[in-house]
Amino acid sequence: MKRTLLTLLLCGLTALGASAQKKEQVKTGWNFGPLPAVSYNSDLGFQYGALCDIFYFGDGSTYPTYLHKFNVELSHYTKGETIAHMFYDSKYLLPGLRVTAALSYMDSAMSPFYGFNGFASPLNSDLTKGSSYYYMDRTLLRGIADIQGSISDKLTWMAGLTFWNVTTGDVQLDKYANELSLYELYLGSGLINDNEVKGTHIELKGGLVYDTRDMEAAPTRGYCAEIVGSFSPGIFGEAESYGRIMATWRQFFPVVGDKLVLGYRVNWQQTFGNAPFYLQQMTTPLYLRQIKNEGLGGKNSIRGVYQNRILADGYAWANFEARVKVVNFRFINQNWYVALNPFVDAGVITKSRKFDQMDSDLLKVAGIYSGDGFGGVHASAGMGVKIVMNHNFIISCEYGKPFDKRDGKGGLNIGTNYIF
């Protein structure tokens, strides 16, 4: 199936490329990218629904940079997750400021949970199929409002807040009634505290960005350095205070003009204080490129590795890929190109989540925990195909294969955007 999807995409779009035009037309006014939300994610199953990317380029003087961008999606995955999402981004709404806002609701009947500290939580491959052992029920409401302002030509500051309301529980689907899960074992042993089963949180954010890239959606040169810190004062219910810091470095090298570009991203994130386990898996990006900002593992961080396979107080990860532009063409009065992106991803734990010695010993005896999580590298490699409209609307198909079978057997993801 994986080979067939990639082959059809390449053959069909190469045929369209026969009518290619060398000179790209500048886009003006409103441009719409409506699509059926039909995709596949190895962690979530098949997706169906609708989405639309909406761009406003004005008189075209800023093209390929847009004046305003909107994204809306309503979809459902066959493993039981429903997503409703709205996103807005503009550097031109308020003079001198960039405004980014998002509102997302995700109701997942089968949200992955593989325990804490990566390889320290053994993976039983027999329980990854046809079982709810590595899943939990999760409902999530997230609101984001951020602004950025210029300090100098390339340096900007950012400030904002994120609202979270999260509820977790046992899987409620009838087919898994009375089936034991790892989530239940952690909750029963006290490794997940009663006050972190659900909660409401406000995170206050601030950061700095230095950006020399020629564009954001699909850069061909330059680098971008970000550091973002967040603090939650724990003002709702039994929620406790915590903080996070995330640093990111991205860089792109044009090898053959814009036809062959090498790019890499290095990230580090660490949590301080008493963040609930369901927020430790959330990353703190400056710009929300995907609806989900969780890891480590899955299509946004280490492609092909199980989503949320690495859950700890601190982790680092890196992505390396080549972006090879195969063909340019005009279609439905829009500028298109097709690109291939072979990649290698890797991640490590930098600070494990600590347990009481008694709890740790009991888990080891039960066979669901084996150590502190350090010393293991979670890595994968694979290939992607991108279909890009007007340099901003990007359809993505990627397949990643983990190097270690404890991270899974591989994953195919069809969605939107480059991951960095």
Side-chain angles (χ1 to χ4, degrees):
M1 174 183 172
K2 300 157 192 167
R3 294 191 186 96
T4 301
L5 280 169
L6 291 174
T7 300
L8 287 173
L9 280 169
L10 285 173
C11 291
L13 288 161
T14 301
L16 285 173
S19 60
Q21 297 182 11
K22 292 183 179 180
K23 186 175 181 180
E24 182 175 312
Q25 292 186 6
V26 172
K27 301 304 297 180
T28 62
W30 292 94
N31 284 258
F32 296 84
L35 282 175
V38 179
S39 71
Y40 177 78
N41 182 292
S42 296
D43 296 301
L44 303 174
F46 286 95
Q47 179 193 29
Y48 55 92
L51 62 87
C52 187
D53 269 354
I54 305 168
F55 301 94
Y56 180 65
F57 293 105
D59 62 6
S61 59
T62 62
Y63 179 81
T65 301
Y66 49 80
L67 299 183
H68 303 277
K69 175 184 177 179
F70 303 85
N71 171 269
V72 293
E73 178 175 320
L74 180 61
S75 62
H76 182 77
Y77 286 90
T78 53
K79 286 188 178 180
E81 179 162 280
T82 298
I83 294 176
H85 174 73
M86 295 182 293
F87 175 82
Y88 172 76
D89 177 51
S90 176
K91 296 179 181 179
Y92 300 91
L93 178 67
L94 299 176
L97 295 175
R98 179 175 186 173
V99 177
T100 305
L103 181 63
S104 309
Y105 173 77
M106 287 168 264
D107 184 3
S108 178
M110 297 282 282
S111 182
F113 178 73
Y114 295 99
F116 300 142
N117 300 332
F119 290 139
S121 296
L123 183 74
N124 185 336
S125 59
D126 293 335
L127 295 175
T128 60
K129 300 290 185 180
S131 167
S132 65
Y133 182 76
Y134 288 117
Y135 294 93
M136 63 181 182
D137 185 274
R138 187 189 72 180
T139 302
L140 181 153
L141 176 65
R142 179 194 64 201
I144 298 173
D146 296 336
I147 57 172
Q148 297 179 47
S150 177
I151 298 174
S152 64
D153 182 37
K154 302 296 183 181
L155 181 64
T156 62
W157 58 267
M158 72 81 60
L161 61 85
T162 302
F163 169 85
W164 299 96
N165 181 268
V166 185
T167 301
T168 66
D170 301 334
V171 172
Q172 300 298 309
L173 300 178
D174 291 341
K175 64 184 293 186
Y176 300 118
N178 302 318
E179 187 173 307
L180 184 65
S181 70
L182 185 63
Y183 169 85
E184 292 178 88
L185 291 173
Y186 270 56
L187 185 60
S189 65
L191 299 180
I192 294 176
N193 298 321
D194 291 337
N195 66 348
E196 60 179 341
V197 170
K198 62 180 180 179
T200 300
H201 313 268
I202 289 285
E203 293 181 1
L204 307 176
K205 297 181 291 184
L208 293 172
V209 186
Y210 192 84
D211 192 354
T212 69
R213 295 171 298 173
D214 57 344
M215 67 182 77
E216 287 190 16
T220 63
R221 63 183 70 245
Y223 62 87
C224 179
E226 299 177 6
I227 184 164
V228 181
S230 64
F231 173 72
S232 178
I235 58 177
F236 296 102
E238 298 183 16
E240 299 185 55
S241 63
Y242 63 89
R244 270 201 294 257
I245 187 169
M246 179 175 173
T248 304
W249 176 274
R250 306 178 188 88
Q251 192 162 9
F252 303 88
F253 303 93
V255 178
V256 183
D258 65 350
K259 304 300 182 185
L260 172 58
V261 175
L262 301 181
Y264 71 93
R265 175 182 68 171
V266 180
N267 296 266
W268 167 73
Q269 177 168 295
Q270 189 150 315
T271 302
F272 306 92
N274 298 299
F277 83 98
Y278 53 72
L279 289 184
Q280 282 185 306
Q281 66 202 43
M282 303 299 176
T283 60
T284 311
L286 183 67
Y287 180 87
L288 196 65
R289 298 179 69 87
Q290 307 282 349
I291 294 178
K292 287 193 170 185
N293 61 320
E294 56 188 293
L296 204 56
K299 70 176 185 177
N300 297 330
S301 54
I302 310 177
R303 289 161 283 191
V305 171
Y306 285 135
Q307 180 179 306
N308 300 334
R309 177 65 175 102
I310 306 99
L311 178 58
D313 285 350
Y315 38 78
W317 71 101
N319 311 102
F320 305 88
E321 67 182 43
R323 299 178 178 180
V324 186
K325 191 177 292 185
V326 178
V327 61
N328 295 274
F329 59 94
R330 292 276 299 167
F331 178 60
I332 58 173
N333 200 33
Q334 307 293 337
N335 304 307
W336 299 78
Y337 69 81
V338 180
L340 304 178
N341 61 301
F343 61 82
V344 176
D345 301 333
V348 295
I349 291 173
T350 59
K351 182 184 178 184
S352 61
R353 177 156 172 156
K354 299 298 184 183
F355 305 137
D356 292 337
Q357 188 61 47
M358 181 177 295
D359 290 332
S360 181
D361 291 342
L362 287 172
L363 287 174
K364 290 176 182 178
V365 171
I368 59 175
Y369 191 72
S370 62
D372 65 6
F374 282 98
V377 178
H378 303 259
S380 67
M383 172 67 77
V385 179
K386 299 292 187 291
I387 307 166
V388 184
M389 182 183 78
N390 298 329
H391 298 279
N392 287 286
F393 181 59
I394 303 169
I395 302 171
S396 172
C397 177
E398 294 181 318
Y399 178 77
K401 178 75 173 177
F403 294 164
D404 193 308
K405 64 182 180 181
R406 291 175 293 174
D407 281 331
K409 297 179 180 179
L412 176 69
N413 297 300
I414 303 173
T416 58
N417 295 325
Y418 284 100
I419 70 167
F420 69 95

